[in-house]
Amino acid sequence: MPVVTVDGARVPYRLEGSGPALVLVHGTGAGSVTWESSLGHFTGRHTVVLPDLSGSDAAEDDGGELTVELLAAQLAAVVEDLGRGPVDVLGYSLGAPVVALLAAEHPELVRRLITLSGWCGPEDPYIQNGLAVWRTMADNPTAFARYAMVAGFGRPYLNSLDREAVEKLATRMQPSANLLRQIDADLKMDIRAALPRIQAKALVIGCTLDALIPVENSRELAARIPHGRFAELESGHVARDERPAELAELVEEFLDEAA
């Protein structure tokens, strides 16, 4: 597995599938493994690049503060090491501002930009308080994981699962030092000043049932990107699990049209 080193951090990435490069950037959580449920919808047409940035389980660093600027610098190093730029990039949740900042600061590396369940700054008290409450649950792993589930998944999706599947989801996201670092990065992230510099065509996907990052934030993000287009999925925050086929359809339609 290739690894790039950025300011002492070791950032691995893996490749799946074949075709033009599509970089999938994870959000708050374990890392690139969180794309597994939707990966097969992309590997038939793309060489999917899956980096594990600092805060993920696979990355190695000094455990210090995470910022969206640091993560974007790591992503730039991955794309440069890949040697196939400019590339298409899709960032989910925390990965959304990371890819947006990459596009603003390194236009030569980004062909087309896609964000999913993203936002652009700390001005929404709903998001700030929701994340802050979640972080305070770190000393209660059961509550922390159940909060992550109900904030992350839409009610229709959860109600479609059997009890065993719900209970499995209710234990999936356990508090860890890395996860808390990511939540801290979420809380202070602000890329609003960088967005007008984005030159790439952009698709901004919001989720209408998202209780963690409400869809209005994606609408704002699209409006702030010069060539931004907005689209919706009827899903909770974790659309890559809830609506993987519909997500892939939106992405492929955009990439075909913007070619």
Side-chain angles (χ1 to χ4, degrees), residues 17-238:
S18 61
L22 173 63
V23 184
L24 301 184
V25 181
H26 62 82
T28 300
S32 68
V33 295
T34 59
W35 286 104
E36 290 303 318
S37 60
S38 54
L39 186 57
H41 292 277
F42 296 109
T43 51
R45 297 185 60 184
H46 303 277
T47 296
V48 178
V49 184
L50 296 149
D52 279 290
L53 306 178
S54 279
S56 68
D57 292 347
E60 300 175 13
D61 62 22
D62 62 4
E65 178 186 25
L66 296 182
T67 67
V68 70
E69 291 80 11
L70 180 150
L71 299 176
Q74 292 180 355
L75 182 57
V78 168
V79 176
E80 289 169 349
D81 187 69
L82 184 66
R84 298 178 60 171
V87 297
D88 299 323
V89 292
L90 164 55
Y92 161 72
S93 194
L94 177 59
V98 171
V99 298
L101 190 59
L102 175 73
E105 296 190 341
H106 297 279
E108 75 283 1
L109 298 181
V110 177
R111 183 181 179 207
R112 288 162 301 194
L113 167 68
I114 306 163
T115 69
L116 172 64
S117 302
W119 75 113
C120 57
E123 73 279 5
D124 187 335
Y126 180 95
I127 294 176
Q128 293 295 106
N129 281 277
L131 290 169
V133 167
W134 187 26
R135 200 193 188 293
T136 65
M137 297 177 181
D139 60 352
N140 186 336
T142 299
F144 184 94
R146 286 193 181 276
Y147 182 91
M149 178 185 70
V150 297
F153 292 94
R155 180 173 176 265
Y157 178 75
L158 286 178
N159 287 349
S160 74
L161 303 177
D162 61 30
R163 182 175 297 274
E164 182 179 356
V166 171
E167 288 305 306
K168 184 176 181 180
L169 279 181
T171 61
R172 187 166 78 176
M173 208 164 194
Q174 296 293 317
S176 68
N178 273 336
L179 185 48
L180 297 181
R181 293 166 70 204
Q182 291 172 327
I183 296 173
D184 289 340
D186 291 328
L187 283 163
K188 62 178 177 287
M189 181 278 298
D190 191 347
I191 59 165
R192 289 172 292 178
L195 295 175
R197 304 201 306 269
I198 294 176
Q199 300 175 22
K201 292 181 180 178
L203 175 65
V204 177
I205 305 172
C207 297
T208 59
L209 305 179
D210 193 337
L212 186 64
I213 308 293
V215 67
E216 291 82 4
N217 291 273
S218 286
R219 293 195 185 103
E220 179 190 2
L221 182 57
R224 288 177 176 268
I225 296 174
H227 304 289
R229 178 196 306 180
F230 177 72
E232 289 182 355
L233 284 172
E234 187 177 350
S235 172
H237 187 70
V238 194

